[in-house]
Amino acid sequence: GLLALAAGLGLGILLSHVLGLFTIAMFSAYPAELGLILSVPAIGKTAVYFGVIFLVVMACTGFSVSRARLIDLMQGGRKNEEMKERPLWRSVLTFLLGVGLLLAAYAMLLTRGLLRIDPLFFLMLALGTAGTLLFFRSLSGFLLRLVKGRKRLYYKGLNLFVLRQFNSRIHTTYVSMTVICLLLLLAIGVTACSVGLNHTIEANTDASAPYDFTLQNYSGDVREVDIPALLTANGFDTSRELRSSYLCSLRYGTPRPEEAGDPGTALALSDYNALMALQGREGLTEEEVPCLREDPLVTGFSGIGTYRVVSDQEAQGLPVRRQLFVGNYAGDAQAAEARLEAVLAQPGFFESGSYNLGSRLQIYLENMGTKLLVLFMGLYLGLVFLLTAAAVLALQQLSQAADDQPRYQLLSRLGAPEGMRDRAVFTQVFLAFALPLALAVVHAAVGMTAANAVIAQVGRVDAAASSAVTAAFLLVIYGAYFLATYLGSRRMARGRG
């Protein structure tokens, strides 16, 4: 226990640093200095919690051993769990009932969504949990009968032995398989949602900041100003400070704003194409106007909304609504923006109009906390749930492998080659890892459909990216536990454990 605690603390400190670097990389921020963070209180709490768990396990185990008869302890390794095959109809009925409960829970989730927390929400969770439990409960009779019906598969290699071994413990392990499945569901769902929401926040941030800054003159309908010249005259030389910029006017949609279907704002075709060129996007041709657009025109959380792109000739006949001056800095954006803000803060500058500055730096700083919280909490919780499920499953399988060691030695004496025994071990471990994961993936697919519907309300959902990150997460961590468990179980089956 002490050795496990020491190793776990060392690995925990190292992996927390790796997780921090991974989060920072996804967060697109790279600090100049980032060292290992050693939290003494966290180490102390971990040692206390580990000690409490260890003492509870010792007490429970000691209590169980003290109540057992000596002869039972001596013969325990040679006894199998009593296995009574249930009637096929009962297993099928249990399976269908479990599937029915799961489908009911799925339907409630997809129709109600994730945001309504009421008694029906907890009923949905209860139905899903009960359905998962019945699904794994039915495997104890359903899987055996299904494979026994296919004689060539049943008697191939050591399949008969493997299936009997798996089926002999399903009576007591179906509860743990249910818990592991739900933990995997939480791991997949939390990780995918956090990554998906992170991409949505990032996409919304990019859409809100097509340029380094936007300076809007809301008094343009009263007095049009040469904004670049005004800034240069007050100490911000736009020709030197900016690598690209453009000044244009937004106009009222029509001479009669009350006309049906008018969005209230219009933009000349040449101005629209110039703004799109600064964003690196395609413009429109004269044959495509007039048209309604929603492409971002300003840097700021409150955009223009829907506007109408009209020909330059038509725009000349529409009254000016406001002026837009957009630009991208030539050098250090932070230093250049500080100089721009200093100019805007000069007394008397706003006498020439009513101005509002939208900054890409400000938008990214405001979104930084949200992105960090979403990513770190999502990846941290996903990792905790995944490690818990994989560790419990690995310990369970290694314990069973230790119990099965005499049986594999007997197979060896009966003439079963080592390769066949290794395949039998692989199949046993694979079934134990794959079955909870398969159902958890189904659960997660339904859950992510409901979660994406919520995320889509605030922006575009990048389901491919979130699925790829989650799959890599599972492949690396869950796959590593599976491989380590298989190698440990194989070593025991060969009599070397």
Side-chain angles (χ1 to χ4, degrees):
L2 291 176
L3 290 175
L5 177 61
L9 289 174
L11 288 175
I13 295 172
L14 180 62
L15 290 177
S16 66
H17 182 66
V18 173
L19 179 62
L21 292 176
F22 180 63
T23 306
I24 290 173
M26 295 191 66
F27 184 47
S28 303
Y30 301 93
E33 297 182 0
L34 182 65
L36 281 173
I37 299 175
L38 190 63
S39 174
V40 176
I43 294 176
K45 291 180 181 179
T46 302
V48 171
Y49 298 153
F50 182 85
V52 170
I53 294 172
F54 203 80
L55 290 175
V56 170
V57 172
M58 288 175 59
C60 293
T61 305
F63 181 74
S64 298
V65 171
S66 67
R67 292 173 58 89
R69 294 185 304 170
L70 182 60
I71 187 65
D72 293 333
L73 295 177
M74 296 174 63
Q75 297 179 352
R78 295 192 296 271
K79 286 188 176 181
N80 290 325
E81 179 180 330
E82 185 178 355
M83 184 179 65
K84 297 179 180 179
E85 292 189 10
R86 302 185 189 90
L88 181 59
W89 66 267
R90 185 180 298 176
S91 298
V92 172
L93 184 61
T94 304
F95 176 80
L96 293 178
L97 180 59
V99 172
L101 292 178
L102 289 177
L103 292 177
Y106 293 163
M108 293 177 66
L109 178 62
L110 295 177
T111 54
R112 292 168 42 83
L114 284 171
L115 299 182
R116 295 176 60 184
I117 309 298
D118 54 14
L120 287 179
F121 178 82
F122 295 102
L123 175 62
M124 176 187 68
L125 295 181
L127 291 176
T129 303
T132 303
L133 184 68
L134 291 177
F135 176 84
F136 289 117
R137 183 74 173 87
S138 66
L139 289 181
S140 60
F142 193 69
L143 185 62
L144 179 62
R145 292 296 187 93
L146 183 65
V147 178
K148 284 179 69 175
R150 304 181 62 183
K151 300 299 183 182
R152 295 184 61 182
L153 177 62
Y154 186 62
Y155 291 109
K156 181 179 180 180
L158 294 178
N159 286 352
L160 184 153
F161 172 79
V162 171
L163 191 60
R164 288 284 178 173
Q165 288 292 102
F166 179 79
N167 200 68
S168 67
R169 292 186 176 91
I170 197 68
H171 294 299
T172 54
T173 59
Y174 72 91
V175 176
S176 63
M177 293 182 74
T178 301
V179 175
I180 291 168
C181 177
L182 296 179
L183 287 173
L184 290 174
L185 166 62
L186 292 173
I188 296 171
V190 170
T191 304
C193 284
S194 65
V195 175
L197 188 56
N198 170 69
H199 282 284
T200 300
I201 295 173
E202 188 172 350
N204 288 346
T205 302
D206 292 338
S208 301
Y211 323 102
D212 285 349
F213 74 90
T214 297
L215 188 61
Q216 299 188 56
N217 176 21
Y218 289 102
S219 304
D221 54 348
V222 177
R223 177 186 177 190
E224 292 187 66
V225 180
D226 187 346
I227 298 178
L230 180 64
L231 291 174
T232 302
N234 284 271
F236 187 82
D237 189 351
T238 56
S239 62
R240 182 173 57 86
E241 298 278 9
L242 306 178
R243 58 180 170 84
S244 59
S245 62
Y246 191 75
L247 174 65
C248 65
S249 297
L250 293 175
R251 300 176 181 273
Y252 286 100
T254 65
R256 299 182 299 279
E258 69 277 1
E259 181 178 323
D262 174 51
T265 304
L267 183 65
L269 174 63
S270 59
D271 292 335
Y272 174 83
N273 287 341
L275 292 174
M276 292 299 106
L278 284 181
Q279 300 181 30
R281 303 170 62 182
E282 293 290 333
L284 297 174
T285 63
E286 294 183 0
E287 290 75 17
E288 295 176 291
V289 295
C291 62
L292 295 177
R293 306 292 294 182
E294 293 184 354
D295 303 301
L297 298 179
V298 300
T299 294
F301 289 113
S302 57
I304 303 299
T306 303
Y307 54 91
R308 189 161 61 97
V309 179
V310 299
S311 65
D312 291 1
Q313 182 178 1
E314 183 180 351
Q316 293 300 320
L318 299 175
V320 174
R321 183 168 188 166
R322 75 180 78 160
Q323 288 182 288
L324 297 181
F325 180 60
V326 303
N328 296 307
Y329 300 117
D332 184 350
Q334 190 170 0
E337 186 157 304
R339 292 190 289 269
L340 175 60
E341 290 177 343
V343 169
L344 297 178
Q346 293 178 7
F349 183 87
F350 286 95
E351 294 178 1
S352 59
S354 175
Y355 296 95
N356 175 266
L357 177 66
S359 163
R360 176 180 292 176
L361 287 175
Q362 293 174 0
I363 291 174
Y364 272 83
L365 286 175
E366 290 181 24
N367 280 347
M368 184 176 296
T370 304
K371 283 189 60 177
L372 181 60
L373 180 63
V374 168
L375 266 181
F376 185 79
M377 290 302 296
L379 293 178
Y380 176 78
L381 290 176
L383 180 63
V384 168
F385 288 133
L386 184 57
L387 287 176
T388 302
V392 170
L393 193 53
L395 290 174
Q396 181 190 72
Q397 291 303 302
L398 290 173
S399 175
Q400 292 182 5
D403 293 339
D404 291 340
Q405 191 174 32
R407 297 177 177 88
Y408 278 98
Q409 291 175 353
L410 179 59
L411 287 176
S412 176
R413 290 194 294 270
L414 291 174
E418 187 176 84
M420 185 177 291
R421 301 198 307 273
D422 290 346
R423 286 193 295 273
V425 173
F426 179 86
T427 304
Q428 275 189 265
V429 177
F430 178 79
L431 284 174
F433 274 79
L435 287 175
L437 178 61
L439 189 56
V441 169
V442 176
H443 289 349
V446 178
M448 282 305 303
T449 302
N452 287 341
V454 176
I455 298 175
Q457 296 178 7
V458 296
R460 183 179 62 87
V461 178
D462 192 348
S466 59
S467 300
V469 173
T470 306
F473 218 47
L474 283 171
L475 182 63
V476 173
I477 298 177
Y478 200 68
Y481 269 92
F482 165 74
L483 181 61
T485 303
Y486 164 65
L487 293 177
S489 300
R490 187 184 67 177
R491 182 178 179 84
M492 293 182 187
R494 291 179 176 178
R496 302 170 188 169

